[in-house]
């Protein structure tokens, strides 16, 4: 790891702690956008530009807009907890331990004998130049051509989720929310 990677990881940890501790919801939303941009930078350093672009667009862009829209319907400041509840801390700790445990069997990053380098059919690499009319990026060829239906399905799911959120957040002409999709009376 170089200095830039250490700096990004440090900023990610600092931003995550700040988000967990801050009570001003507007500021928390801004920090989540910063966290998404830092995550996108981290993915770019890991040579995953497609994941980086997706994180920047969805994590920092669309999610921030949706959270700000939700904030317009709620209060700006989170209610202070009345008492300490250990259950959320326990769930986060158990989930974090399970995720760390899951990484213990992973092969070292970049090793030539990793399963990801052994199992994909070499035909993807050999035929991508001809199948994609000379497109030099194999990852783009796999995502856009060989896995085109999968990518179309994922795009449909994201579009449907965004449409559902817009329908939930829509307002009537007098500014009141319509939870069941019908207009509320003014009586």
């Amino acid at each position: 790891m170089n200095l830039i990677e250490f700096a990004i990881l440090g900023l990610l940890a600092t931003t995550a702690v700040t988000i967990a501790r801050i009570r001003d919801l507007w500021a928390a939303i801004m920090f989540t956008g910063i966290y998404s941009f830092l995550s996108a930078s981290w993915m770019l350093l890991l040579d995953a530009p497609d994941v980086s672009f997706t994180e920047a667009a969805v994590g920092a862009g669309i999610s921030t807009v949706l959270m700000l829209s939700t904030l317009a319907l709620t209060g700006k400041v989170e209610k202070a907890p009345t008492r300490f509840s250990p259950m959320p801390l326990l769930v986060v700790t158990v989930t974090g331990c399970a995720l760390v445990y899951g990484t213990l069997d992973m092969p070292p990053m970049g090793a030539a004998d990793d399963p990801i380098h052994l199992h994909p059919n070499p035909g993807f690499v050999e035929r991508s130049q001809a199948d994609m009319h000379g497109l030099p990026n194999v990852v783009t060829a796999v995502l856009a051509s060989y896995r085109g239906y999968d990518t179309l399905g994922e795009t449909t799911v994201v579009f449907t989720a965004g449409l559902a959120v817009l329908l939930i957040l829509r307002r009537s002409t007098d500014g009141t929310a319509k939870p069941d999709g019908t207009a509320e009376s003014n009586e």
Side-chain angles (χ1 to χ4, degrees):
M1 273 200 222
N2 61 29
L3 188 60
I4 294 176
E5 292 171 338
F6 274 117
I8 288 179
L9 287 177
L11 287 172
L12 276 170
T14 304
T15 306
V17 170
T18 303
I19 292 169
R21 297 195 51 84
I22 201 165
R23 295 282 174 232
D24 186 339
L25 296 178
W26 187 87
I29 292 171
M30 293 299 112
F31 274 108
T32 57
I34 292 170
Y35 187 88
S36 292
F37 273 122
L38 290 170
S39 297
S41 302
W42 174 248
M43 295 298 170
L44 196 59
L45 290 175
L46 293 177
D47 292 331
D50 55 330
V51 178
S52 175
F53 289 145
T54 303
E55 177 62 31
V58 175
I62 295 172
S63 296
T64 302
V65 169
L66 290 177
M67 286 191 283
L68 286 174
S69 300
T70 304
L71 191 62
L73 298 174
T74 62
K76 186 180 176 190
V77 179
E78 179 185 0
K79 287 187 207 174
T82 55
R83 60 183 175 86
F84 175 73
S85 177
M87 186 55 78
L89 181 62
L90 179 67
V91 169
V92 168
T93 303
V94 169
T95 303
C97 289
L99 290 173
V100 170
Y101 178 75
T103 63
L104 295 179
D105 288 339
M106 292 179 66
M109 182 180 158
D113 59 343
D114 283 353
I116 194 169
H117 297 298
L118 299 176
H119 295 298
N121 187 344
F124 287 130
V125 177
E126 296 165 359
R127 294 191 324 257
S128 67
Q129 287 274 333
D131 288 351
M132 293 300 293
H133 308 288
L135 192 64
N137 189 329
V138 177
V139 174
T140 302
V142 169
L143 288 178
S145 180
Y146 300 125
R147 293 184 56 210
Y149 288 117
D150 183 43
T151 304
L152 177 64
E154 291 168 350
T155 306
T156 303
V157 168
V158 170
F159 175 75
T160 305
L163 190 63
V165 168
L166 288 176
L167 289 174
I168 290 171
L169 293 178
R170 72 182 177 155
R171 291 173 166 255
S172 65
T173 54
D174 62 351
T176 57
K178 299 186 295 184
D180 60 351
T182 59
E184 294 181 2
S185 67
N186 292 329
E187 297 177 355

